[in-house]
Amino acid sequence: RQYIMGMVNTIIGHNLRRTDMDTKETVFNRDREEGEAYEEIEEKLGIPVPRLTCLAEGMAYDSYFLSEGLRDGSVFYTYGEMIVPLSIRKREGTSIMSQTFGGELADQFIIEVNELPVQIYEMEYEGGEHSYIAEFEWEDGYYVLTGKIEREVFLKVVQGIAF
């Protein structure tokens, strides 16, 4: 949990630097096609992975990360110079999932996407930069989409979430 929280805080607070790593239970691969990455994450974690069916212009699949041991993974998209990660975590038992994020909370609200409640957070940082976070749960999965992108663009991507 600390690893993924640190990773999200790093992504939101700074530009993400790409690093390849391979260990016994960890995969970071940018050569796989998006569909194959989603299938592998679903197979290894045993939970559905939401598809982003409405990507913003200039937004594209980049790579994915999978850690079976930690029961989590991420699918990374590029948008201009920024990385927009979709973090995926398998819930065990009756555990409650949540994350903390850097910056000051500027706004929060809930939208419905295909009858799924999605909590949206707008974070503000020194210098006036903003980032957006969409947090939702489905079956045994906990999902977080984050990005330092325009509000309207982010909400359009979130509206296109489908299982």
Side-chain angles (χ1 to χ4, degrees):
R1 180 173 179 211
Q2 289 176 334
Y3 171 77
I4 219 162
M5 287 172 50
M7 189 169 120
V8 170
N9 283 331
T10 299
I11 292 167
I12 291 174
H14 305 92
N15 289 335
L16 178 67
R17 297 180 191 272
R18 295 184 188 155
T19 309
D20 289 338
M21 62 178 130
D22 276 320
T23 63
K24 185 176 181 181
E25 292 185 329
T26 303
V27 177
F28 185 85
N29 191 331
R30 113 174 27 95
D31 296 328
R32 287 254 170 114
E33 292 296 324
E34 182 178 8
E36 292 175 357
Y38 275 64
E39 287 173 16
E40 182 170 357
I41 293 170
E42 287 177 345
E43 177 185 317
K44 302 286 184 179
L45 298 183
I47 56 174
V49 177
R51 303 314 198 251
L52 303 183
T53 64
C54 190
L55 296 181
E57 186 174 330
M59 190 172 177
Y61 168 78
D62 181 68
S63 56
Y64 78 103
F65 168 86
L66 176 62
S67 177
E68 292 177 64
L70 295 175
R71 301 179 324 274
D72 70 0
S74 294
V75 178
F76 300 101
Y77 294 86
T78 57
Y79 180 70
E81 297 294 316
M82 301 304 297
I83 299 290
V84 178
L86 171 61
S87 300
I88 303 143
R89 178 123 177 126
K90 182 172 183 171
R91 180 181 35 226
E92 292 294 324
T94 59
S95 62
I96 296 173
M97 308 298 277
S98 67
Q99 286 185 295
T100 57
F101 302 95
E104 296 292 323
L105 181 63
D107 194 10
Q108 66 178 339
F109 52 94
I110 295 174
I111 62 173
E112 282 216 6
V113 178
N114 298 319
E115 300 180 20
L116 174 73
V118 178
Q119 179 73 49
I120 305 291
Y121 300 97
E122 178 182 357
M123 306 304 289
E124 186 172 356
Y125 301 91
E126 287 184 31
E129 286 188 313
H130 291 257
S131 67
Y132 298 91
I133 302 154
E135 182 180 55
F136 55 99
E137 296 184 37
W138 177 259
E139 295 182 3
D140 287 335
Y142 170 73
Y143 309 91
V144 178
L145 178 69
T146 59
K148 273 191 175 179
I149 61 179
E150 300 84 7
R151 180 183 180 119
E152 298 77 23
V153 171
F154 186 77
L155 292 175
K156 179 181 175 184
V157 172
V158 171
Q159 289 290 340
I161 291 172
F163 282 93

